[in-house]
């Protein structure tokens, strides 16, 4: 029996968890019985989409994590691993847990999860920027970078708590026996603290990215205006390894790449302290994923015996802040905010997007948020079980110390800038992704659905998949990185958002288009949004992983239908929109493992995003 067949064979009765000879159990684990959940039907044709997707993941597995692709991306990437774990849970929940454990094992003391964890066996010249550029163990010492693992110094979108929760749900017995969530929770909580405190550079409650690579959509036209303030690094000061694997016409320009390198160099030379650079952008997709993961972290807390109400409340406040700062009702979508852009005299808004929509209570909202967070941390600590209280002292203390140092070092620089900033008048798929949020006002959700199907994105019409950038935009290019091509992770998120808000027909059309395109493109990294023509790397890991997740969707929907009938008979009522996402995730109403009391879901994810040249 080959290794892929071992991963995809159907489990009947009680067996040991699926694990191949290339994926030894992590330290502290032991052989345990599996819950017996149906994973795959081995009677499917050997050339089926299921098996081919599984083979992609098997081929990209290193023994402890999964590379996006062996040629262009030979290391572990942060949000890739989160999406990969979501798909891997259908093949091997143990391997999915290991994927996340490996990534979070490289977390910094200040809480950040680096966007790359470098494989020491890969030659330095195989990828740029390489470990000797980031110098994490030395330049990142004040921020608590690990000494024994080389990483980058920037981050990527926070999909990790969501992934951890979905992985747990794939096999709760395995997860509990390995104390998976109790080990992940303190690290995920520190990660969210970092983003909510150190990265609130605009003062309005949202997290900012300090480099285009952090948002994941590296080469988006959304970055053109804020990048124009950055002096590019000299062309001969670095060598672009990405051009060895792709056409220059499909990659970022040398000018843009020089600016990426300059930003990263300055951030490194400043000890990776936040708030002193020239680039800070509040992005709707990055913050929507943070909010979704905050809901998931609340569900994890409840599974471990603590109240998750403070985190749910925080997620709802963040949703309100997202609407307040990034929603444009005239344009019918969310936009990025250039925190240091605009003119403070006119409120910081660009003329293209109208007048400033910040309410006079914005400062009060931020103050309330900080006060509530402080109280929430205290109350949650008081109610936690021993598992929740097990966050390593060194990690928490260094995170708080680093946070104070960062705030002090950037205070003077921040007060010299406009904290209101300006919305960036570029339509990106990022502006549609808040559709994944259950507390999004219904009128905004309905408007986003119309915008997705309109001329700018063409979803369900002229475009096979939603493009990464406005089809009518001045910078649209169907093949150049994040300036027009369609990506599988963003469309997977849109599919979830459509189901959440009751657009089941549109969601099913998008699901079918995703599966067909994954099949015909050879699990491409990204595709032409009109034709589905493969672009970038083939055999791309998150494309294969999310294909597996979509293939399992009908089973989840059937389970949700049964859960609907149970809910009706027991008179359990969910918040409007939540049951729709229950169908998408296919999990019955959550019951606390500790208390066994019925719980009304607070979020879609309680019922259960690589970009560009990637740095």
């Amino acid at each position: 029996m080959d290794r892929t067949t071992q991963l995809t064979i159907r489990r009947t009765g009680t067996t040991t968890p699926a694990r191949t000879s290339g994926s030894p159990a992590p330290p502290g684990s032991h052989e345990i019985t599996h819950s017996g959940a149906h994973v795959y039907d081995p009677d499917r044709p050997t050339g089926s989409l299921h098996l081919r997707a599984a083979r992609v993941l098997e081929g990209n597995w290193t023994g402890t994590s999964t590379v996006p692709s062996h040629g262009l991306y030979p290391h572990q990437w942060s949000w890739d691993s989160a999406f990969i774990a979501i798909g891997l849970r259908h093949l091997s929940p143990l391997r999915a847990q290991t994927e996340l454990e490996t990534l979070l094992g490289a977390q910094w003391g200040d809480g950040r999860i680096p966007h790359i964890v470098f494989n020491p066996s890969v030659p330095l010249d195989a990828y740029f920027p390489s470990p000797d550029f980031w110098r994490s163990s030395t330049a990142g010492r004040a921020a608590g970078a690990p000494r024994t693992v080389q990483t980058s110094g920037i981050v990527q979108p926070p999909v990790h708590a969501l992934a951890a929760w979905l992985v747990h749900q794939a096999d709760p017995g395995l997860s509990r026996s390995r104390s998976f969530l109790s080990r992940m929770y303190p690290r995920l909580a520190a990660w969210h603290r970092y983003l909510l405190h150190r990265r609130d550079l605009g003062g309005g409650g949202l997290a900012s990215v300090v480099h285009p690579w952090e948002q994941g959509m590296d080469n988006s036209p959304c970055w053109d205006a804020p990048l124009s303030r950055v002096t590019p690094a000299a062309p001969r000061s670095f060598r672009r390894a990405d051009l060895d694997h792709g056409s220059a016409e499909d990659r970022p320009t040398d000018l843009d790449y020089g600016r990426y390198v300059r930003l990263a160099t300055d951030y490194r030379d400043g000890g990776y302290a936040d708030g002193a650079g020239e680039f800070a952008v509040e992005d709707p997709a990055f913050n929507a994923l943070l909010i979704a993961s905050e809901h998931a972290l609340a569900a994890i807390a409840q599974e471990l015996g603590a109240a998750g109400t403070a985190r749910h409340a925080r997620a709802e406040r963040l949703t309100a802040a997202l609407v307040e700062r990034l929603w444009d009702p005239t344009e019918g979508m969310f936009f990025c905010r250039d925190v240091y852009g605009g003119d403070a005299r006119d409120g910081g808004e660009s003329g293209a997007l109208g007048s400033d929509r910040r309410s006079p209570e914005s400062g009060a909202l931020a103050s309330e948020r900080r006060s509530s967070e402080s109280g929430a941390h205290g109350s949650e600590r008081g109610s936690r079980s021993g598992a929740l209280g097990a966050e390593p002292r060194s990690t928490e203390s260094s995170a708080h110390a680093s946070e104070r140092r960062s705030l002090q070092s950037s205070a003077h620089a921040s007060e010299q800038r406009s904290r209101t900033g300006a919305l960036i008048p570029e339509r990106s798929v990022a502006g549609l992704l808040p559709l994944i949020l259950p507390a999004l006002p219904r009128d905004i959700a309905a408007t986003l659905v119309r915008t997705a199907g309109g001329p700018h994105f063409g979803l369900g019409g002229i475009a096979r998949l939603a493009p990464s950038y406005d089809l009518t935009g001045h910078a649209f290019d169907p093949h150049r990185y994040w300036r027009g091509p369609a990506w599988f992770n963003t469309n997977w998120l849109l599919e979830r958002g459509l189901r959440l808000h009751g657009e089941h027909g549109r969601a099913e059309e998008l699901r079918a288009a995703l599966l067909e395109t994954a099949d015909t493109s050879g699990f491409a990294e990204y595709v032409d949004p009109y034709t589905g023509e493969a672009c970038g790397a083939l055999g791309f890991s998150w494309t294969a992983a999310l294909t597996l997740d979509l293939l399992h969707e009908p089973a989840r929907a059937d389970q949700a239908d049964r859960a609907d009938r149970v809910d009706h008979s027991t008179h359990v009522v969910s918040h409007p929109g939540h049951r729709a996402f229950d169908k998408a995730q296919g999990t019955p109403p959550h019951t606390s493992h500790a208390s066994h009391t019925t719980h009304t879901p607070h979020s879609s994810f309680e019922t259960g995003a690589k970009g560009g040249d990637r740095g």
Side-chain angles (χ1 to χ4, degrees):
M1 182 181 296
D2 65 26
R3 298 170 73 189
T4 304
T5 304
Q6 289 178 33
L7 274 177
T8 58
I9 193 167
R10 177 168 53 187
R11 300 185 178 100
T12 57
T14 301
T15 67
T16 55
R19 188 172 73 243
T20 71
S21 58
S23 56
S29 68
H30 53 279
E31 292 292 332
I32 59 172
T33 58
H34 190 276
S35 61
H38 174 85
V39 175
Y40 276 101
D41 185 346
D43 296 330
R44 293 184 185 276
T46 56
S48 72
L49 191 59
H50 298 76
L51 286 173
R52 286 187 285 120
R55 285 172 180 149
V56 168
L57 295 179
E58 178 64 29
N60 290 340
W61 175 250
T62 68
T64 55
S65 64
T66 310
V67 299
S69 70
H70 279 292
L72 184 53
Y73 308 117
H75 302 286
Q76 183 180 24
W77 263 261
S78 174
W79 75 326
D80 288 72
S81 279
F83 287 120
I84 289 165
I86 289 172
L88 272 177
R89 67 191 170 119
H90 301 298
L91 297 176
S92 168
L94 178 59
R95 181 175 289 189
Q97 291 177 28
T98 303
E99 184 82 34
L100 296 174
E101 289 164 352
T102 301
L103 177 67
L104 269 66
Q107 185 174 24
W108 290 28
D110 63 3
R112 81 181 76 193
I113 297 175
H115 97 297
I116 302 176
V117 180
F118 289 108
N119 183 342
S121 67
V122 174
L124 290 178
D125 62 357
Y127 187 84
F128 178 85
S130 53
D132 57 340
F133 171 87
W134 295 104
R135 306 172 197 166
S136 60
S137 59
T138 54
R141 186 175 300 153
R147 295 183 179 182
T148 58
V149 180
Q150 293 297 312
T151 75
S152 65
I154 59 176
V155 303
Q156 276 191 323
V159 199
H160 311 90
L162 168 60
W165 178 238
L166 294 178
V167 167
H168 162 79
Q169 288 181 309
D171 191 339
L174 173 67
S175 174
R176 290 166 186 152
S177 71
R178 299 184 68 248
S179 302
F180 172 66
L181 290 182
S182 62
R183 289 184 289 110
M184 292 295 100
Y185 183 89
R187 292 184 176 275
L188 293 168
W191 168 222
H192 285 208
R193 274 201 305 275
Y194 169 79
L195 294 173
L196 291 169
H197 291 279
R198 288 190 57 184
R199 288 301 188 90
D200 183 9
L201 302 179
L206 300 181
S208 293
V209 295
V210 299
H211 195 290
W213 291 337
E214 292 198 313
Q215 193 268 358
M217 304 177 194
D218 306 10
N219 197 35
S220 170
C222 295
W223 318 135
D224 291 353
L227 277 177
S228 67
R229 298 191 295 266
V230 178
T231 302
R236 295 184 180 180
S237 64
F238 58 91
R239 190 189 78 83
R240 295 182 58 178
D242 63 312
L243 297 182
D244 296 339
H245 301 275
S247 169
E249 288 75 21
D250 294 346
R251 308 295 300 177
T253 65
D254 286 342
L255 177 61
D256 284 337
Y257 210 97
R259 286 171 169 150
Y260 302 154
V261 173
R262 172 67 66 190
L263 276 177
T265 301
D266 290 347
Y267 193 40
R268 177 199 67 199
D269 293 347
Y272 296 109
D274 296 308
E278 292 299 313
F279 185 98
V281 174
E282 294 172 354
D283 173 77
F286 190 100
N287 281 280
L289 289 168
L290 174 59
I291 295 166
S293 281
E294 188 70 14
H295 278 305
L297 202 56
I300 293 173
Q302 289 174 288
E303 164 68 23
L304 296 175
T309 52
R311 290 197 177 279
H312 284 308
R314 184 180 303 130
E316 292 180 0
R317 288 196 302 273
L318 288 168
T319 301
L322 184 75
V323 171
E324 179 187 359
R325 289 183 65 79
L326 305 185
W327 173 248
D328 188 296
T330 303
E331 300 294 336
M333 65 181 300
F334 291 86
F335 288 86
C336 295
R337 180 177 289 272
D338 182 358
V339 172
Y340 300 151
D343 187 338
R345 292 172 299 178
D346 65 9
E349 289 298 331
S350 65
L353 289 168
S355 61
D356 186 10
R357 282 173 293 282
R358 277 186 88 200
S359 76
E361 297 179 348
S362 292
L365 176 65
S367 176
E368 177 197 353
R369 176 186 54 79
R370 287 188 289 269
S371 175
S372 298
E373 279 179 351
S374 176
H377 284 311
S379 63
E380 196 165 59
R381 278 194 299 270
S383 63
R384 287 178 188 167
S385 66
L388 279 174
E391 182 168 355
R393 178 186 297 270
S394 59
T395 299
E396 180 144 6
S397 62
S398 61
H400 289 162
S402 297
E403 180 182 322
R404 287 194 297 273
R405 285 195 298 270
S406 174
L407 292 173
Q408 290 167 357
S409 66
S410 63
H412 179 70
S414 296
E415 69 185 9
Q416 303 300 319
R417 308 170 191 265
S418 165
R419 294 176 69 83
T420 299
L423 294 184
I424 299 171
E426 299 286 1
R427 296 178 181 87
S428 161
V429 70
L432 303 178
L433 295 188
L435 201 60
I436 65 175
L437 300 178
L440 200 65
R442 290 183 179 182
D443 60 329
I444 291 179
T447 301
L448 284 176
V449 172
R450 289 195 297 271
T451 300
H456 298 295
F457 295 95
L459 188 61
I462 58 175
R464 178 175 296 193
L465 300 177
S468 51
Y469 176 68
D470 183 0
L471 294 171
T472 69
H474 68 97
F476 174 77
D477 184 327
H479 289 175
R480 192 181 287 274
Y481 243 53
W482 292 108
R483 299 179 86 85
W487 293 73
F488 286 82
N489 65 330
T490 55
N491 278 270
W492 179 85
L493 289 166
L494 280 176
E495 196 263 0
R496 269 32 189 186
L498 289 169
R499 288 190 190 278
L500 167 61
H501 293 285
E503 297 287 341
H504 300 292
R506 294 176 190 265
E508 188 55 38
E509 289 178 5
L510 180 53
R511 173 181 175 271
L514 278 164
L515 291 175
E516 179 186 4
T517 306
D519 189 10
T520 58
S521 71
F523 303 102
E525 181 180 2
Y526 55 98
V527 298
D528 183 306
Y530 292 118
T531 67
E533 176 190 350
C535 302
L538 300 182
F540 199 71
S541 289
W542 79 23
T543 303
L546 297 178
T547 296
L548 289 173
D549 194 62
L550 291 169
L551 287 170
H552 280 259
E553 193 165 88
R556 293 202 301 272
D558 291 343
Q559 292 171 9
D561 286 337
R562 290 194 295 272
D564 274 338
R565 291 192 290 272
V566 172
D567 277 0
H568 181 74
S569 64
T570 56
H571 306 289
V572 175
V573 180
S574 295
H575 187 281
H578 291 167
R579 178 52 57 196
F581 198 89
D582 293 348
K583 284 180 178 291
Q585 295 299 328
T587 302
H590 178 70
T591 302
S592 170
H593 178 58
S595 62
H596 299 284
T597 57
T598 301
H599 168 69
T600 301
H602 286 78
S603 83
S604 57
F605 294 111
E606 187 172 353
T607 58
K610 153 184 119 95
D613 39 79
R614 294 177 167 264

